[in-house]
Amino acid sequence: TTIDLALQNVVLFAAQWKELFDKKSTQDEDFTCADGSVIRVPMMRQQSSMVCTEGTTGSVTWKVLRVPYSEDFALDIVLPDKGTLPEELPSGTWAAASALLDEAESEGSSAVNLWLPSIDLATPDGGIDVLPVLETLGADIRPMERVSPYFETRDYRQQVRLIVHEAGTTAAASSEDGMVFASGVSNVTDFHVDHPYVMRLRDLSTGIALFEAIINNPS
């Protein structure tokens, strides 16, 4: 007798930005996608105090920004130089970028003029089969002898919904086994996210990354 079971694990995150984006400032701007095509996307804007720096891994240079939420969480954004896709970043870049931001925070923040796409993205219907991904990492979870010699994982799918808008961020994942500055400020760093980038949603109290994503096309 064959018995089919489904085990489900759900993570939900919702938080408000420390400094909200003004919806009236959101305007359509060009975004160069991974395939070189240029599309128009709603680009949120804010000028506030944030930690921003840059780094290099291998021969690749990137900028990194920490956008704080109202709680002890932050969205770390890694923006490679134009011409380099996030997938081409050397191994360890994401972790190195977050560590660099942690170190830079002790030196204080600066005025940043941020342009960030507003997104509402989801995995395709039915989710993504993650078994092949796990196998490439050397993790074979098909046999489940620790649970029962009769159990076997035949399907492992993940569904994700990621929303980033003017008020904050909402992110959910389900895995199934089966300060505003006066205009007189002159030293302002521009951080315009107008080509493929990396997002890492972090719990700053533990350093754990709750969600990670590569955005090649915000639409």
Side-chain angles (χ1 to χ4, degrees):
T1 302
T2 299
I3 301 176
D4 292 330
L5 300 175
L7 306 178
Q8 195 170 65
N9 183 10
V10 179
V11 178
L12 174 64
F13 173 88
Q16 178 177 287
W17 302 116
K18 183 177 181 180
E19 297 291 339
L20 302 183
F21 291 84
D22 185 349
K23 283 188 176 183
K24 296 178 181 179
S25 297
T26 299
Q27 299 178 20
D28 286 351
E29 297 289 348
D30 288 346
F31 185 98
T32 303
C33 299
D35 62 2
S37 62
V38 178
I39 61 174
R40 300 286 284 179
V41 300
M43 195 75 72
M44 306 184 300
R45 303 162 185 246
Q46 92 164 238
Q47 183 174 301
S48 61
S49 178
M50 288 178 274
V51 177
C52 181
T53 186
E54 63 179 19
T56 302
T57 42
S59 60
V60 180
T61 301
W62 34 265
K63 296 196 298 183
V64 62
L65 176 72
R66 174 161 293 167
V67 190
Y69 293 104
S70 56
E71 302 296 333
D72 200 14
F73 296 91
L75 186 68
D76 290 354
I77 301 174
V78 182
L79 185 65
D81 284 350
K82 281 189 175 181
T84 300
L85 296 179
E87 295 92 333
E88 298 169 350
L89 290 170
S91 176
T93 297
W94 294 20
S98 291
L100 196 60
L101 284 171
D102 290 342
E103 181 181 344
E105 277 195 315
S106 64
E107 300 174 4
S109 53
S110 59
V112 175
N113 177 27
L114 171 63
W115 291 15
L116 180 65
S118 172
I119 61 176
D120 185 350
L121 304 175
T123 48
D125 291 343
I128 297 174
D129 183 6
V130 295
L131 276 178
V133 178
L134 293 173
E135 289 171 353
T136 61
L137 297 175
D140 183 6
I141 68 167
R142 295 181 187 274
M144 301 183 68
E145 290 93 344
R146 292 186 179 183
V147 179
S148 168
Y150 304 104
F151 283 10
E152 178 184 357
T153 300
R154 295 182 179 176
D155 195 26
Y156 190 8
R157 312 194 73 81
Q158 185 176 67
Q159 295 176 293
V160 178
R161 178 78 181 274
L162 177 62
I163 304 172
V164 178
H165 50 58
E166 289 84 357
T169 299
T170 302
S174 172
S175 296
E176 187 170 301
D177 190 354
M179 164 185 305
V180 175
F181 284 80
S183 58
V185 176
S186 58
N187 187 21
V188 179
T189 299
D190 286 333
F191 197 100
H192 296 175
V193 184
D194 59 0
H195 57 278
Y197 61 104
V198 169
M199 294 169 52
R200 171 179 269 196
L201 202 164
R202 296 183 68 215
D203 178 347
L204 299 180
S205 64
T206 63
I208 293 176
L210 303 178
F211 292 87
E212 297 178 334
I214 290 175
I215 309 296
N216 284 320
N217 184 336
S219 64

